[in-house]
Amino acid sequence: MRGTFLCIFLLGFIVTISFPLLAQETTGRLEGRVLDAAGQLVAYANIMVTGPALQGTRGTLTSAQGRFVMLALPVGEYTVNVSHVSYQEKKFEAVRVRLGQTTTLGDVKLEEHTYTTKEIVVEAEAALIDPASTEMGATLVAKDYEALPIERDYRSVVMLLPQANESFLESKGGRDPENFAGSTGLENRYFIDGIDVSDSYRGAIGVRLPYNFIQEVQVRTGGYEAEYRSSLGGAVNVVTFSGGNKVAGHAFG
């Protein structure tokens, strides 16, 4: 009997002191949901609150469901900024937070944001070594040799590269072509615009082309692909000038 009386006394005491505690609430709450223009939920949007009743700023993020709740805001009027890196910022002025109540912004819809940046031009010198290739050789463009006093045949352009050696051997068909990697000139392969123009009988140059028609010359002297078959020395790949969107041309004599 005494135990029952003690329990009733303690329960009454707890209820008595609970009413003052509930009456001591001095703040309010702010909530809402953030959507995009299509009605899809926007997760991790920034919610920033400022106002005269608040020291500094108060911030939070929307959840994965696009919702946010800001608790324990002092009573007063606030400015609420809703922002996201992919959307335009939206601002709400004079949002009233009342004592013991929850103020809702409802569904906040954000418009997509388009970023425009100035053109960025990066200029740098090309690397001397290509880390993505195993082949040895070099490439010459027209501006590298057009002002040099060399013979008009593209063979003379090849001789500008340090990988090529001039041969002084003479044969019935003429002088031995340039030498690569210790091989004779008859062991080279020559390509113009992707077509093999090597002499099928002697292996020498089958087509002689003035360098004025050439846009780039590439020389491979080792480590190149298996497609350059029958080449024990080097592979000379020539690309001629081609047309474009602008009318252009040049004359020579």
Side-chain angles (χ1 to χ4, degrees):
M1 186 67 178
R2 181 177 296 179
T4 303
F5 175 77
L6 181 61
C7 291
I8 295 174
F9 175 78
L10 291 175
L11 181 60
F13 176 76
I14 295 174
V15 173
T16 301
I17 65 174
S18 296
F19 283 107
L21 292 176
L22 292 174
Q24 291 176 3
E25 188 172 8
T26 59
T27 59
R29 295 171 294 279
L30 180 68
E31 69 173 13
R33 188 173 65 163
V34 180
L35 309 173
D36 61 12
Q40 300 296 320
L41 300 173
V42 178
Y44 310 116
N46 292 298
I47 313 298
M48 301 299 297
V49 175
T50 58
L54 188 66
Q55 294 183 359
T57 60
R58 184 82 63 82
T60 187
L61 294 174
T62 58
S63 64
Q65 290 74 36
R67 296 185 177 276
F68 69 91
V69 177
M70 195 168 294
L71 303 174
L73 284 175
V75 175
E77 289 188 352
Y78 294 93
T79 298
V80 183
N81 289 277
V82 182
S83 63
H84 191 279
V85 67
S86 301
Y87 302 92
Q88 298 181 21
E89 181 178 332
K90 180 164 288 189
K91 180 183 292 187
F92 296 87
E93 300 282 356
V95 177
R96 184 75 182 180
V97 175
R98 300 182 182 278
L99 179 63
Q101 296 182 11
T102 299
T103 302
T104 178
L105 295 180
D107 290 341
V108 180
K109 289 191 176 183
L110 301 181
E111 300 292 333
E112 291 187 357
H113 184 71
T114 302
Y115 290 90
T116 56
T117 59
K118 295 182 179 180
E119 181 181 0
I120 299 176
V121 179
V122 179
E123 296 182 357
E125 296 183 357
L128 298 178
I129 299 177
D130 184 3
S133 176
T134 59
E135 65 184 30
M136 295 178 291
T139 301
L140 287 175
V141 298
K143 66 179 182 180
D144 295 331
Y145 55 78
E146 60 185 2
L148 298 178
I150 57 178
E151 297 181 14
R152 296 187 61 235
D153 188 8
Y154 74 91
R155 289 177 52 182
S156 58
V157 176
V158 175
M159 294 304 301
L160 295 174
L161 298 174
Q163 294 89 351
N165 298 315
E166 184 179 0
S167 175
F168 296 96
L169 297 177
E170 297 289 340
S171 61
K172 295 181 180 181
R175 188 171 61 86
D176 183 35
E178 56 280 348
N179 298 164
F180 301 108
S183 301
T184 67
L186 301 181
E187 296 170 303
N188 300 330
R189 306 298 292 183
Y190 300 89
F191 301 84
I192 297 180
D193 290 334
I195 300 175
D196 191 344
V197 296
S198 305
D199 186 347
S200 58
Y201 174 66
R202 297 180 59 250
I205 300 176
V207 174
R208 298 188 179 275
L209 183 67
Y211 70 77
N212 306 88
F213 294 93
I214 297 173
Q215 183 175 3
E216 288 193 16
V217 178
Q218 183 185 46
V219 178
R220 295 178 172 91
T221 59
Y224 42 81
E225 297 85 352
E227 63 186 89
Y228 301 100
R229 60 192 182 280
S230 304
S231 175
L232 300 179
V236 180
N237 189 22
V238 174
V239 176
T240 59
F241 286 99
S242 61
N245 294 328
K246 295 182 180 180
V247 179
H250 64 275
F252 58 90

